[in-house]
Amino acid sequence: MQLRSFAVCAVLALVASPVGAAPASMNFTAAWTNVFETDLGQGGTVALSGLTVTGGASWGLSQTSSLGLQARVDVDNWQFDKPAGFGGLTPWQATNRFSLSLPYATRLENGWNIALTPSIESNGEEGASSSKTLAYGFTGMVMKGFAPDKVIGLGLAAFRNIEDTRFFPFFVVDWKLAENWRLSNPQQVSPSGPAGLMLSYQLSPQWELGAGAAYRSYRFRLATDNAVARDGIGEANYMPVFAQATYRGQGGWRFDVYGGAMAGGRLKVMDRSGDNDIAKDDVKTAPAMAASITTRF
């Protein structure tokens, strides 16, 4: 695991955070994801299971601004069987992603809000060289609140992620369309892509149902002994399409369960500079499920 890179991230975050002040709020999330076995376009199969742990805190800097610290760890276990598009070799196995971000937010007059978030990540297969796994970037958002339940805005993200630079705009929304109906972003903006869209319906104060989609593109450094490309670059692109059920309990915790599919998948292996594709294959639509528990205090 890329522990050295993660330590660099931690030092950076601690220096920038308001150490010594009690946080105004804290959060913790644990999630499990399973993408069931599906066929690869050129032959063979692939499946994926993953665990994610996220935690963070937020400090009030003034009556109108705040600074947060968010840490996230993703461990994904890939299972390949006779992937013909990769010469029958396993393109990668377990991949790890560690990230730290410092979200800053401030309220302006007339309902306007600005959010700025620098972040740093380490993305790599088990056994990858830590110094070659780093990614970093920045997101900025400008939002207008017309009411507490009607917020809309635009953002811009820029990330340098393992021999690749990405810029993309994204749409920010948290809008009550009608009684019990809401349109929102289900995921966080990151080097893997924008936040997506979800339409949800409030059944009761505790229960909520929703459906949504997003685009994800994960890029990571391969291991120094990878069978297809030593020190190369792996990339996994897909679109999760899902239905979601949420239960909110007393005391600030919630439980979410998801069912859906991973569509439009493509896997790719590149050389160490990312300039040349070595092998790639399409992934047929796969059923998927996930669950998470979140608490805020």
Side-chain angles (χ1 to χ4, degrees), residues 202-207 248:
Q202 191 80 36
L203 288 172
S204 70
Q206 291 79 34
W207 285 99
R248 291 183 173 85

Side-chain angles (χ1 to χ4, degrees), residues 58-284:
S58 178
W59 291 264
L61 301 179
S62 69
Q63 291 185 346
T64 59
S65 63
S66 65
L67 178 67
L69 170 62
Q70 287 289 127
R72 174 171 172 154
V73 178
D74 294 86
V75 179
D76 293 332
N77 184 29
W78 296 80
Q79 301 99 38
F80 290 89
D81 184 34
K82 301 176 182 177
F86 300 94
L89 301 173
T90 299
W92 56 77
Q93 300 184 62
T95 59
N96 304 310
R97 185 166 55 256
F98 309 107
S99 67
L100 279 167
S101 61
L102 293 170
Y104 169 79
T106 186
R107 296 195 309 272
L108 305 177
E109 296 180 351
N110 301 318
W112 287 96
N113 297 269
I114 295 176
L116 307 171
T117 304
S119 62
I120 186 168
E121 293 192 357
S122 174
N123 303 308
E125 182 185 14
E126 283 280 359
S129 174
S130 298
S131 63
K132 299 177 181 179
T133 64
L134 287 181
Y136 52 89
F138 187 87
T139 63
M141 295 180 286
V142 177
M143 297 157 286
K144 169 69 172 176
F146 297 90
D149 55 6
K150 287 181 170 59
V151 178
I152 196 168
L154 291 173
L156 180 66
F159 292 101
R160 178 66 178 173
N161 187 14
I162 308 180
E163 312 296 343
D164 181 53
T165 301
R166 297 179 180 178
F167 298 89
F168 55 85
F170 57 93
F171 182 56
V172 182
V173 63
D174 186 5
W175 196 274
K176 186 176 181 179
L177 301 172
E179 188 66 28
N180 298 330
W181 288 95
R182 181 180 296 272
L183 185 66
S184 62
N185 303 117
Q187 299 188 10
Q188 290 186 339
V189 178
S190 72
S192 59
L197 285 174
M198 181 175 74
L199 180 65
S200 57
Y201 180 77
Q202 191 80 36
L203 288 172
S204 70
Q206 291 79 34
W207 285 99
E208 181 178 278
L209 300 177
Y215 175 74
R216 302 281 92 179
S217 178
Y218 294 105
R219 190 178 178 96
F220 42 87
R221 180 66 66 181
L222 298 178
T224 54
D225 60 352
N226 183 274
V228 179
R230 295 183 179 181
D231 266 339
I233 298 171
E235 191 172 273
N237 304 316
Y238 52 84
M239 178 180 292
V241 181
F242 60 88
Q244 172 183 345
T246 299
Y247 178 80
R248 291 183 173 85
Q250 295 182 352
W253 68 272
R254 60 181 281 175
F255 179 74
D256 297 273
V257 62
Y258 307 82
M262 297 296 187
R266 168 163 282 205
L267 307 178
K268 183 163 59 173
V269 170
M270 294 162 277
D271 63 14
R272 66 185 61 190
S273 67
D275 294 330
N276 302 295
D277 293 348
I278 294 176
K280 58 186 175 181
D281 203 353
D282 293 331
V283 181
K284 296 188 177 180

Side-chain angles (χ1 to χ4, degrees), residues 14-68:
L14 288 173
V15 169
S17 64
V19 177
S25 64
M26 301 181 71
N27 62 82
F28 174 83
T29 299
W32 163 82
T33 303
N34 189 74
V35 181
F36 292 92
E37 185 176 82
T38 188
D39 292 332
L40 293 166
Q42 299 178 49
T45 63
V46 62
L48 169 66
S49 60
L51 293 173
T52 299
V53 177
T54 306
S58 178
W59 291 264
L61 301 179
S62 69
Q63 291 185 346
T64 59
S65 63
S66 65
L67 178 67

